Amino acid sequence: MDIERFNADWLQAWTDKDVDRLVSFYSADTVYKDPQVPHGVEGREALKAYLQTLFSSTPPMTYLPELVWAIQGGFCGRWYCDIGEGGKEGKIRGFDLVLIENSLIKHNEVYVHPLSETANA
């Protein structure tokens, strides 16, 4: 598996807010965690419902992959995100722990923090 390509395509689906395409990266029994759902969402259908709500309540977000590290069973990826057009509503840097099974995401944990305009990326 080309994890850099997988990561880039996956982050593009996040940018596009394409729920159907995005959930196609996840296994039927996936576990997904982010700051809004720290205890997790279990299963592709629950993830789909969560993403539909999330995307309808957030501004455009552009995800740009930075680094990807292969780990046993998957990868870790760091990315930057501009919130709003051109980052007018803020910028964040994030990190995903992604465990893969049968070429699909079995487990995904997302960690993020805001970047101030004066901070060095």
Side-chain angles (χ1 to χ4, degrees), residues 8-45:
D9 291 345
W10 175 55
L11 289 176
Q12 186 62 54
W14 278 97
T15 295
D16 295 341
K17 293 186 176 187
D18 185 338
V19 173
D20 290 331
R21 180 166 178 247
L22 189 51
V23 297
S24 75
F25 285 88
Y26 291 85
S27 68
D29 60 345
T30 194
V31 174
Y32 173 86
K33 298 178 182 184
D34 73 16
Q36 280 68 41
V37 288
H39 297 292
V41 172
E42 294 186 24
R44 187 184 290 146
E45 290 307 311

Side-chain angles (χ1 to χ4, degrees), residues 53-118:
T53 300
L54 177 71
F55 290 162
S56 70
S57 64
T58 56
M61 299 175 80
T62 303
Y63 293 86
L64 300 170
E66 183 192 20
L67 295 171
V68 179
W69 301 273
I71 60 169
Q72 184 174 350
F75 66 90
C76 296
R78 189 167 61 205
W79 44 263
Y80 288 89
C81 178
D82 288 340
I83 303 170
E85 296 299 325
K88 289 180 184 177
E89 296 183 47
K91 295 177 183 281
I92 56 176
R93 181 170 50 209
F95 179 91
D96 280 279
L97 167 64
V98 178
L99 300 178
I100 304 284
E101 186 176 279
N102 298 320
S103 300
L104 295 172
I105 299 171
K106 175 81 170 178
H107 186 94
N108 179 202
E109 291 189 36
V110 185
Y111 301 90
V112 300
H113 63 274
L115 295 173
S116 70
E117 291 185 31
T118 59

